[in-house]
Amino acid sequence: MDIKQTDLYWFRLNEEIRVEDVDKFSGNNMHPDRMMTQWVLVLMISGERSFRVYGENYVVHSGEFFLLPPYVQHCGLQYDNHAAYFAHFQATGIQIPPPVKVDTNHILLPLYGQIPLELPCFDMMEYAVRHRTPPFSSKSFLSSQIQAILYQISLAVQKKELWSNLESRMAYQILKYIDDNKNQHLKNQDYEDTFGKTYNRLNTIFQTVYGMTIKQMQVTLRVNQAKRMLRSGYTISETSTACGFEDYFYFLKVFKNKTGMTPSEYKNS
């Protein structure tokens, strides 16, 4: 979407949240026409989701989140083919102006935004979904998981919006470039042509902000994407190709090194 984060509705959650439902959806449907008594958090795995709230239309895509407040009418615009995690939860919260400084004491979030690529939000949601029923889970466990995700997204979005450091912004642009080209075999020259600096300089900037090299992040994002695809029913071969691994056996090696399981074991776990 072209809307700037500073033009969006922002919310502040003031107390610990109480999760009522966590689940995962994959298919084609329309966002329900409803007014809920809970907050709704949605993390988009793939596809897009269209809805109308506060008299405005929104379309949220793969890799983004949206947060809908309670007691506000929202409805769908069309049938959308998508996959997403969602959580319904109770919390005390209010609408606020866009923040002017980073607040780590509260959860501050816009109505929608980018899920931080460098953080394991999808993995945490998957873990919550897989452990949402007794005897493995409890409301306290689910609430702690979703609250952690909300805090992670909150800080990441605030940092992205409020940091004026040019190198920090460039590091985020590099991160987005890596994610947008996960299926490509990027060379050092590709980064230099895109960002106008030497690869070594770009790598230094990136590592200072994210604590890992460009190539390490590239592998991390590819494996994270592979995990989501395997969970969604794609074959190991399809997943390997879509995630930019030209060598099938190298993919098996990297996946096991990062997750402790082979793709087959992960797919069937």
Side-chain angles (χ1 to χ4, degrees), residues 41-190:
L41 172 68
V42 178
L43 305 188
M44 293 292 296
I45 302 170
S46 62
E48 63 182 32
R49 190 57 157 168
S50 59
F51 59 92
R52 182 174 180 82
V53 64
Y54 292 120
E56 298 180 24
N57 297 340
Y58 296 90
V59 180
V60 183
H61 302 88
S62 171
E64 296 179 331
F65 73 89
F66 62 93
L67 179 69
L68 299 175
Y71 305 108
V72 175
Q73 190 74 28
H74 43 86
C75 64
L77 301 177
Q78 61 186 18
Y79 279 83
D80 302 312
N81 189 27
H82 70 293
Y85 296 106
F86 64 86
H88 299 156
F89 62 92
Q90 298 286 349
T92 301
I94 59 172
Q95 185 179 324
I96 60 170
V100 295
K101 63 178 182 180
V102 174
D103 181 355
T104 58
N105 293 316
H106 302 94
I107 297 169
L108 271 58
L109 288 171
L111 189 144
Y112 90 93
Q114 177 74 44
I115 298 169
L117 301 170
E118 71 278 14
L119 296 176
C121 297
F122 284 113
D123 287 345
M124 293 179 69
M125 283 294 284
E126 177 66 27
Y127 192 80
V129 167
R130 291 170 62 83
H131 295 81
R132 70 186 186 278
T133 56
F136 306 108
S137 183
S138 67
K139 293 294 185 183
S140 297
F141 165 75
L142 291 178
S143 296
S144 68
Q145 289 288 107
I146 304 306
Q147 182 161 311
I149 292 169
L150 288 166
Y151 266 112
Q152 288 182 353
I153 297 176
S154 171
L155 181 57
V157 171
Q158 290 183 72
K159 286 164 59 179
K160 177 176 177 291
E161 290 303 307
L162 299 173
W163 277 8
S164 59
N165 187 305
L166 294 178
E167 290 191 349
S168 296
R169 291 187 177 274
M170 175 164 283
Y172 177 78
Q173 291 170 357
I174 296 170
L175 178 63
K176 190 68 169 60
Y177 179 72
I178 297 170
D179 189 59
D180 289 342
N181 293 278
K182 288 192 297 291
N183 62 337
Q184 303 295 321
H185 184 64
L186 294 174
K187 300 178 180 179
N188 294 2
Q189 189 65 46
D190 294 321

